[in-house]
Amino acid sequence: MFVKICGLSTAETVAAAVEAGADAVGFVLTRSPRQVTPDTARRLAAAVPPHVLTVAVVAGADIATVRELVRDTGLRALQLHGDYTRDDFAAVADLGLTLVRAVSYEAPDLRIGAYGEDLLLVDATEPGSGGAWDYTMLRERGLGDGWILAGGLGVDSVADAIRLSGAGGVDVSSGVESARGVKSETLIREFIAAARKAG
């Protein structure tokens, strides 16, 4: 079970995620209560060991801005969240990063690799809202192996969500927060443990 903790902004929460066994940690570089600067992302990622994927999370920015945001961060993956096209993914392929396509479950071409991405993250219609939805609808969609589920996940719900959806990975942000935009080290550890047990 692949586990990504997203929207991290402090050295303490990054360390908690890594120590608890996260496979990936995400840093939001565009407008969000969880936004960090590229400099902060670079500093936080510098302490992350090579076996943990560091992800630049971008939404709503044009590709020129995306390239500028990730150029100096040293992050090893780029997550384009929302209405990005195949051409957009092709335009960042030369960066040499693991590419993550993050879309609503209502998006077309809901298959890993359809846009040239390495990982597919399937979210609610309002990413970051923390709202749960009917995860069972994904089981029959033929998404491919190893896709990642997001949206409405928390310590108490992640096991059922994995079982209902058939996901090979999970991504959480608001579900491990003590307040909007403020991550809880305890909830991070508990979420990873619950996901591992379920997977």
Side-chain angles (χ1 to χ4, degrees):
M1 181 56 55
F2 183 94
V3 182
K4 174 172 171 277
I5 308 296
C6 198
L8 296 172
S9 59
T10 68
E12 292 78 12
T13 53
V14 171
V18 170
E19 290 164 8
D23 297 289
V25 290
F27 304 97
V28 180
L29 300 181
T30 47
R31 186 178 298 277
S32 163
R34 303 160 187 93
Q35 182 177 4
V36 296
T37 65
D39 284 347
T40 297
R42 181 178 62 249
R43 176 176 53 80
L44 294 174
V48 177
H51 69 275
V52 178
L53 194 62
T54 52
V55 185
V57 179
V58 179
D62 61 67
I63 292 301
T65 301
V66 170
R67 294 179 67 89
E68 183 178 344
L69 284 170
V70 302
R71 183 181 55 208
D72 299 323
T73 62
L75 301 181
R76 297 190 288 276
L78 169 61
Q79 177 176 315
L80 295 179
H81 210 129
D83 298 326
Y84 288 96
T85 66
R86 286 183 176 85
D87 288 344
D88 292 331
F89 277 86
V92 295
D94 66 304
L95 295 174
L97 303 174
T98 297
L99 297 181
V100 184
R101 178 166 63 113
V103 293
S104 159
Y105 63 85
E106 297 175 333
D109 294 317
L110 211 58
R111 295 171 293 109
I112 296 174
Y115 282 40
E117 76 276 13
D118 302 291
L119 299 170
L120 175 66
L121 188 152
V122 183
D123 205 340
T125 52
E126 294 183 30
S129 67
W133 42 286
D134 182 6
Y135 305 117
T136 59
M137 68 177 66
L138 296 173
R139 186 172 281 279
E140 304 302 324
R141 290 288 296 270
L143 279 65
D145 295 330
W147 62 274
I148 301 164
L149 178 68
L153 303 180
V155 173
D156 295 330
S157 64
V158 65
D160 280 345
I162 291 168
R163 177 180 55 81
L164 292 169
S165 67
V170 289
D171 175 283
V172 68
S173 184
S174 59
V176 291
E177 291 179 345
S178 56
R180 186 163 173 80
V182 180
K183 293 290 183 289
S184 161
E185 296 171 47
T186 298
L187 289 176
I188 288 170
R189 294 187 185 97
E190 290 178 352
F191 180 89
I192 294 172
R196 289 272 182 261
K197 184 177 180 181

